[in-house]
């Protein structure tokens, strides 16, 4: 054997043995850690001074481990397996009501039309105080889902408190198979236009089929010239569903998303596999900070291929992919197994969970980098999807933001509807609504202190501490009174916005979920901006050309 062959043979053995040593060290560390963890668990469970619940102690250990990773890696016990089924199948056994906390009360915040909760007379704003024989409070709110959901055909007794009714009301509801609609609304908006509005609220298995059926139905009515796809507040769902939705708009053969796991050799590229049903209509996509995961896959794909103008505010920034791994005893592990990349190659993950984390090795994927779309427009990684047209829908009034945070519009609409349930929304004057709202807010003892007033109070205290004199403190007090007077005029100053928010809540009670959507679009800056861009082909094309940044 010549010297070069000997050299390569030795090099091969050293490299190969290095890999073996590395792998064996890694697996040795895993086995050592399992042994230590098991010993600690056993010793504490058997010898701690007070009796320990073995299952809860084990769950606490698992929770502690997973908290060192990212918030999307979770252990799912048998009581939460139904939630996984809802995401994957888009169905569950329930009553058709959405429940949330409103001012510390467990309250019905939405009803799905056609199911038992709505058919049998539950209302938005009803406060749930008991399910069967179990009292319901904010303390056991997290377990409420398990009480309400169950096998279709079984019954559940719900006791509620309703504003305007002196006695508690009890409803015996039959659970049904609830099919979650991903597409909350579709139709021509404005009504007589050729613009289609699609409100996509989720990405369960049927999302793509729902979009396809809606477009076919609308196509049969008249020509579709433009489409607004609303992904605002859509938290995402299945990767396959996001790909399926993209295929309705992108040409066959185009790259939609790339998924890369820990193993650099395991890279999956997903391309559009079908001819799009809506390849020619102009397209705008609405996003906001609530648009995450699958929503960002869709928005990123159509943006990178210059297929749509993105309108709104920056998306959430979740570029991680999870896999559900079944475990023993009807439990599962939802674990982050990969990152996804848009067609231009960017990872839009905003938060770097490896930063200042001893468990995770440093990742460089969250460094903001420039990429280019097909038309060579600049787009950025590591911060969610940045819209092509940034439009903020948030109220400019701090008072309105506070009224929203305190649920005053929700509570007022509940009060007004329960005391005037036969009302016709179109017959109520704006002046009447504003007057009744002012009275209601006053009766609720709502107090608004602006950030400026808080700052003045702090200055007054500092002035007293530093003995700056009564005259200076008096000037601050006068300024505070002036600001308070301006605050009292805020409702009149922003009355149009206040009335629209009240009508939106009332529409949800009188017409349902569709009514809320239609009413909200009447005063929606992001929707109006998207519509104006789509109605002007010249501006639309300019947004998608290389000279716009």
């Amino acid at each position: 054997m010549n010297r070069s062959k000997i050299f390569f043979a030795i090099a091969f053995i050293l490299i190969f043995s290095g890999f073996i040593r590395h792998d064996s060290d890694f697996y040795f560390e895993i086995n050592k850690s399992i042994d230590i963890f098991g010993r600690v668990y056993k010793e504490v469970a058997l010898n701690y001074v007070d009796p320990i619940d073995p299952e809860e102690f084990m769950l606490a250990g698992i929770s502690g481990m997973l908290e060192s990773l990212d918030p999307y890696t979770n252990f799912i016990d048998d009581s939460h397996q139904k939630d996984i089924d809802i995401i994957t199948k888009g169905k569950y056994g329930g009553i058709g009501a959405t429940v949330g906390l409103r001012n510390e009360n467990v309250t019905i915040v939405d009803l799905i039309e056609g199911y038992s909760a709505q058919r049998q007379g539950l209302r938005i704003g009803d406060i749930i105080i008991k399910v069967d024989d179990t009292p319901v409070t904010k303390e056991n709110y997290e377990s409420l889902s398990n009480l309400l959901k169950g096998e279709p055909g079984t019954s559940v007794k719900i006791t509620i408190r309703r504003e305007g009714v002196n006695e508690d009301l009890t409803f015996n509801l039959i659970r049904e198979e609830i099919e979650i609609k991903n597409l909350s609304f579709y139709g021509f908006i404005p009504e007589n236009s050729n613009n289609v509005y699609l409100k996509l609220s989720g990405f369960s298995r049927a999302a793509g089929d729902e979009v396809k059926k809606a477009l076919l139905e609308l196509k049969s009515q008249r020509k579709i010239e433009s489409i607004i796809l609303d992904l605002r507040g859509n938290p995402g769902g299945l990767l396959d569903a996001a790909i399926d939705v993209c295929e309705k708009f992108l040409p066959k053969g185009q790259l939609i998303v790339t998924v890369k796991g820990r193993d650099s050799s395991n890279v999956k590229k997903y391309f559009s596999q079908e001819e799009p049903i809506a390849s020619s209509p102009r397209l705008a996509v609405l996003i906001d900070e609530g648009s995450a995961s699958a929503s960002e896959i869709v928005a990123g794909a159509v943006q990178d291929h210059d297929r749509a103008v993105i309108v709104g505010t920056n998306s959430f920034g979740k570029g991680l992919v999870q896999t559900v791994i079944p475990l023993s005893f009807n439990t599962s592990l939802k674990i982050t197994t990969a990152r996804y990349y848009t067609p231009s190659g960017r990872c839009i993950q905003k938060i770097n969970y490896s930063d200042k984390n001893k468990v995770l090795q440093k990742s460089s994927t969250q460094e903001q980098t420039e990429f280019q779309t097909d038309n060579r427009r600049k787009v950025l990684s590591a911060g969610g999807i940045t819209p092509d047209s940034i439009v903020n829908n948030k109220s400019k009034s701090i008072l309105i933001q506070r009224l929203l945070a305190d649920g005053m519009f929700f509570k007022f609409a509940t009060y007004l509807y329960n005391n005037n349930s036969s009302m016709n929304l179109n017959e109520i004057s704006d002046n009447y609504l504003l007057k009744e709202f002012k009275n209601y807010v006053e009766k609720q003892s709502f107090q608004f202190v602006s950030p400026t007033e808080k700052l003045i109070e702090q200055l007054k205290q500092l002035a007293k501490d530093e003995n700056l004199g009564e005259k200076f403190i008096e000037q601050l007090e006068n300024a505070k009174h002036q600001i308070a007077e301006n605050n009292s005029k805020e409702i009149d100053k922003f009355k149009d916005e206040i009335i629209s928010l009240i009508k939106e809540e009332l529409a949800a009670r009188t017409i349902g979920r569709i009514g809320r959507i239609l009413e909200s679009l009447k005063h929606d800056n992001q929707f109006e901006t998207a519509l104006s861009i789509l109605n002007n082909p010249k501006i639309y094309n300019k947004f998608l050309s290389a000279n716009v940044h």
Side-chain angles (χ1 to χ4, degrees), residues 240-254:
D240 291 347
I243 294 165
D244 202 5
V245 169
C246 285
E247 288 179 325
K248 309 302 175 277
F249 305 102
L250 293 175
K252 185 176 180 180
Q254 277 198 334

Side-chain angles (χ1 to χ4, degrees), residues 322-507:
Q322 283 72 46
T323 302
V324 177
I325 301 170
L327 304 175
S328 53
F329 300 102
N330 198 31
T331 62
S332 301
L333 178 65
K334 181 162 70 73
I335 180 173
T336 299
T337 54
R339 291 183 177 85
Y340 73 78
Y341 298 78
T342 68
S344 66
R346 54 185 168 142
C347 176
I348 56 87
Q349 174 65 24
K350 184 182 292 184
I351 301 173
N352 187 349
Y353 294 105
S354 68
D355 192 27
K356 298 178 182 178
N357 188 318
K358 293 181 180 179
V359 175
L360 300 172
Q361 293 183 6
K362 193 76 174 175
S363 170
S364 61
T365 56
Q366 275 74 59
E367 294 175 4
Q368 197 164 71
T369 311
E370 278 191 4
F371 291 82
Q372 290 188 335
T373 69
D374 292 354
N375 287 346
R376 303 185 71 78
R377 294 187 297 138
K378 291 180 181 178
V379 286
L380 297 173
S381 66
I385 302 293
T386 301
D388 303 306
S389 177
I390 297 175
V391 181
N392 202 322
N393 255 4
K394 192 175 182 180
S395 175
K396 294 178 181 178
S397 166
I398 297 175
L399 172 62
I400 290 180
Q401 291 176 35
R402 172 71 189 280
L403 287 166
L404 280 166
D406 282 14
M408 294 304 295
F409 298 110
F410 182 92
K411 291 198 293 183
F412 173 67
T414 300
Y415 158 78
L416 195 65
Y417 179 69
N418 286 340
N419 289 281
N420 304 272
S421 57
S422 59
M423 72 169 65
N424 185 333
L425 186 62
N426 297 320
E427 293 178 359
I428 302 176
S429 72
D430 290 352
N431 288 334
Y432 172 81
L433 280 179
L434 194 64
K435 179 185 173 184
E436 289 296 307
F437 181 69
K438 283 181 177 179
N439 292 336
Y440 182 81
V441 168
E442 190 175 334
K443 287 178 184 176
Q444 293 291 309
S445 300
F446 174 82
Q447 292 184 334
F448 173 66
V449 180
S450 70
T452 310
E453 287 176 282
K454 291 179 182 177
L455 186 60
I456 288 175
E457 280 299 317
Q458 292 173 9
L459 286 171
K460 281 172 60 180
Q461 187 58 51
L462 286 171
K464 289 176 183 177
D465 294 342
E466 297 178 17
N467 298 315
L468 295 181
E470 289 297 324
K471 188 174 181 181
F472 180 69
I473 293 173
E474 187 180 334
Q475 288 175 332
L476 289 174
E477 190 63 36
N478 289 336
K480 184 182 175 183
H481 284 308
Q482 286 181 322
I483 293 166
E485 286 177 14
N486 288 333
N487 289 341
S488 66
K489 298 174 184 176
E490 279 276 286
I491 288 181
D492 290 316
K493 182 180 177 182
F494 292 93
K495 65 179 182 180
D496 291 340
E497 188 175 350
I498 286 172
I499 288 167
S500 69
L501 288 167
I502 294 169
K503 285 184 174 181
E504 188 179 322
E505 287 292 346
L506 287 173

